[in-house]
Amino acid sequence: MSVRAKKHLGQHFLKDENIAKKIADTLSFSGYEHVLEIGPGMGVLTKYLLQKDIITHVIEIDSESVEYLKNEYLKLADRIIEQDFLKYDLKQVFKEETFAIIGNFPYNISSQIVFKVLEMRNQIPEFSGMFQKEVAQRICSKEGNKVYGILSVLTQAFYESSYLFTVPPQVFNPPPKVDSGVLLLKRKENFILPCDETLFFKVVKQAFQQRRKTLRNSLKTFNLSDNLKANVIFGKRPEQLTVDEFIALTQLVGVDDLNR
Ligand SMILES: C[S@@+](CC[C@H](N)C(=O)[O-])C[C@H]1O[C@@H](n2cnc3c(N)ncnc32)[C@H](O)[C@@H]1O
């Protein structure tokens, strides 16, 4: 018995056991007791997680995959969450506990997965897995790079991000049209930003909405400080700013007009 791949769920099953093991080995499995795998499918990665000294949970939207997993991995049966990762409140399972996240992620929702991890960063010290190569590169890219954007800045503000390796299409069934890339995010020791964090998210998102414009133009709706340091930063375009400069920028803007 095997699961029929469904395109709308981004199902591309990994056939290569060595790569599955290599992905499972990217996490340190230390400093937390639980790991959550998103989208286990037929469990190619799950079986290596089950060999680790960690409590493995999986969340899978596809009932056919869930049936398969229940039959194949009896040890896992109580920790299969049949839900949409994006909609499910993970506090129901983890409460205030910390946990790592891993997966060969469905590409159609990969950015949303990262945003949800960022929202729950207090509980997620490590995150690793496979994305479409370009998305993995974007998350890890630095200022000045043409793919540097919202995902890069927000992720790197809280996590050390490393692009680990590239995976070619032919190791999947069915093969996707593009290469894949595996990355690792390790939460920074001090991940509390020295600025208003809600405002930081807003500033970064608004700055990149018009990436060709200077920040003075794209952040017009905010109450901008007027001093030398501010004027230097406001004269730049968002893709030129380091993560630390975005934090400094957030310290220099007031509440936006919409919130006054
Ligand atoms: C790229 S496949 C990977 C499957 C398996 N881990 C592997 O490596 O062969 C992505 C998996 O994510 C599941 N999935 C898609 N959308 C999901 C969602 N919103 N929540 C949870 N799982 C989802 C799919 O059903 C599929 O099993």
Side-chain angles (χ1 to χ4, degrees):
M1 177 187 149
S2 73
V3 174
R4 185 179 42 90
K6 300 162 201 75
K7 205 174 168 192
H8 71 285
L9 294 178
Q11 288 183 337
H12 296 278
F13 297 113
L14 186 60
K15 298 186 291 187
D16 188 312
E17 293 287 335
N18 289 327
I19 295 176
K21 182 173 182 311
K22 207 168 150 189
I23 296 174
D25 285 342
T26 54
L27 292 177
S28 69
F29 300 100
S30 72
Y32 48 85
E33 289 174 10
H34 301 263
V35 65
L36 173 67
E37 183 189 351
I38 303 173
M42 286 186 277
V44 64
L45 195 56
T46 325
K47 71 167 154 305
Y48 294 102
L49 298 173
L50 290 169
Q51 292 171 8
K52 308 275 181 191
D53 184 17
I54 198 89
I55 306 167
T56 300
H57 307 252
V58 299
I59 182 160
E60 173 59 66
I61 199 169
D62 175 35
S63 48
E64 194 185 348
S65 296
V66 167
E67 247 347 272
Y68 181 95
L69 292 165
K70 281 184 178 159
N71 289 325
E72 290 289 315
Y73 302 98
L74 299 178
K75 223 173 128 185
L76 188 69
D78 293 343
R79 291 190 303 278
I80 301 175
I81 310 163
E82 186 177 344
Q83 291 281 346
D84 178 343
F85 170 75
L86 297 179
K87 295 193 182 139
Y88 185 67
D89 178 9
L90 294 171
K91 296 256 182 207
Q92 286 191 45
V93 171
F94 296 108
K95 306 202 167 55
E96 297 305 318
E97 291 237 43
T98 51
F99 56 97
I101 287 193
I102 195 165
N104 167 15
F105 304 116
Y107 296 159
N108 47 339
I109 58 164
S110 51
S111 308
Q112 289 140 284
I113 290 176
V114 178
F115 283 121
K116 181 156 177 174
V117 168
L118 292 177
E119 272 171 31
M120 294 201 71
R121 60 191 176 276
N122 290 346
Q123 286 177 259
I124 306 177
E126 272 189 350
F127 171 96
S128 81
M130 185 142 57
F131 289 92
Q132 186 176 327
K133 183 181 174 187
E134 276 178 6
V135 176
Q137 283 176 327
R138 185 172 332 139
I139 293 169
C140 300
S141 77
K142 295 290 173 198
E143 70 284 357
N145 191 306
K146 68 177 189 315
V147 294
Y148 183 68
I150 297 174
L151 266 188
S152 340
V153 178
L154 295 181
T155 307
Q156 292 171 38
F158 305 103
Y159 290 89
E160 302 294 349
S161 337
S162 337
Y163 184 90
L164 300 181
F165 55 92
T166 302
V167 179
Q170 59 271 24
V171 300
F172 298 90
N173 181 26
K177 290 202 173 67
V178 290
D179 277 343
S180 303
V182 175
L183 61 68
L184 171 65
L185 305 181
K186 273 183 175 290
R187 197 176 58 196
K188 292 180 176 174
E189 215 146 282
N190 185 0
F191 64 98
I192 309 293
L193 304 186
C195 65
D196 182 315
E197 293 188 346
T198 311
L199 189 58
F200 175 75
F201 275 78
K202 271 184 122 173
V203 165
V204 174
K205 285 181 182 169
Q206 189 160 326
F208 278 106
Q209 260 162 24
Q210 294 165 302
R211 56 185 297 140
R212 298 269 118 221
K213 287 199 175 174
T214 63
L215 294 158
R216 182 174 291 102
N217 279 319
S218 49
L219 299 180
K220 260 199 239 137
T221 56
F222 289 88
N223 186 11
L224 305 182
S225 315
D226 187 13
N227 60 42
L228 192 59
K229 186 180 176 196
N231 284 331
V232 172
I233 293 192
F234 293 144
K236 294 189 179 185
R237 293 201 307 261
E239 66 215 33
Q240 300 172 300
L241 247 57
T242 63
V243 172
D244 284 344
E245 283 176 315
F246 267 105
I247 293 169
L249 173 67
T250 306
Q251 291 164 339
L252 293 168
V253 303
V255 196
D256 65 344
D257 283 341
L258 304 172
N259 277 348
R260 265 192 248 159

